[in-house]
Amino acid sequence: QVQLVESGGGSVQPGNSLTLSCVVSGLDLDSYAIGWFRQIPGKEREGVSCISKSGGNTFYGDSVKGRFTISRDRAKNTVYLRMTNLKPEDTAVYYCGAERRIMGCTVLYDEVYEYWGQGTQVTVSS
């Protein structure tokens, strides 16, 4: 019943931009914070960005600060991740997750996220 569906991934050259979308259904998005995490095979999932229920609080991992922007479109039940100045180290599968356990949001602990999408691949190479 609960679904989070990521889209927008693809292959780009370094310095280019992509916008990822996370479409949420089956839950009240107003009651959940949304986080973006990414994972490289063989490595732990890394927090990228998150946005609180109200949209008033956002947080970014150190490696993406100043380059990525998270936003929420309530009418479309969608959270976006605008990625600019992409680097090869941004290559990963990107997942969105939903949680309501804490105030604000977090990219430090993926364990608090209750629901996950299946991911979308982002590849950055020359």
Side-chain angles (χ1 to χ4, degrees):
Q1 292 180 299
V2 176
Q3 281 194 326
L4 285 72
V5 180
E6 304 95 337
S7 63
S11 297
V12 298
Q13 294 182 327
N16 285 2
S17 301
L18 282 174
T19 298
L20 306 183
S21 299
C22 176
V23 179
V24 180
S25 61
L27 58 78
D28 182 4
L29 189 59
D30 291 340
S31 298
Y32 286 82
I34 301 296
W36 284 97
F37 289 73
R38 64 190 183 187
Q39 189 167 31
I40 299 171
K43 297 185 178 180
E44 295 184 354
R45 194 152 48 193
E46 175 190 18
V48 176
S49 183
C50 66
I51 187 166
S52 63
K53 303 169 187 177
S54 67
N57 290 327
T58 60
F59 190 85
Y60 298 91
D62 289 341
S63 63
V64 307
K65 288 180 179 177
R67 298 190 297 120
F68 291 10
T69 303
I70 191 169
S71 62
R72 179 190 296 254
D73 188 332
R74 180 176 178 176
K76 296 182 178 179
N77 261 20
T78 300
V79 174
Y80 301 98
L81 183 68
R82 176 65 173 170
M83 306 182 295
T84 64
N85 192 24
L86 283 162
K87 303 176 180 180
E89 53 262 42
D90 295 319
T91 296
V93 178
Y94 284 70
Y95 300 89
C96 62
E99 63 86 19
R100 59 184 300 176
R101 292 175 55 185
I102 65 171
M103 298 181 65
C105 69
T106 183
V107 296
L108 300 177
Y109 307 100
D110 62 355
E111 305 91 81
V112 306
Y113 287 83
E114 301 174 53
Y115 305 103
W116 294 95
Q118 293 186 327
T120 185
Q121 176 72 48
V122 173
T123 302
V124 185
S125 63
S126 59

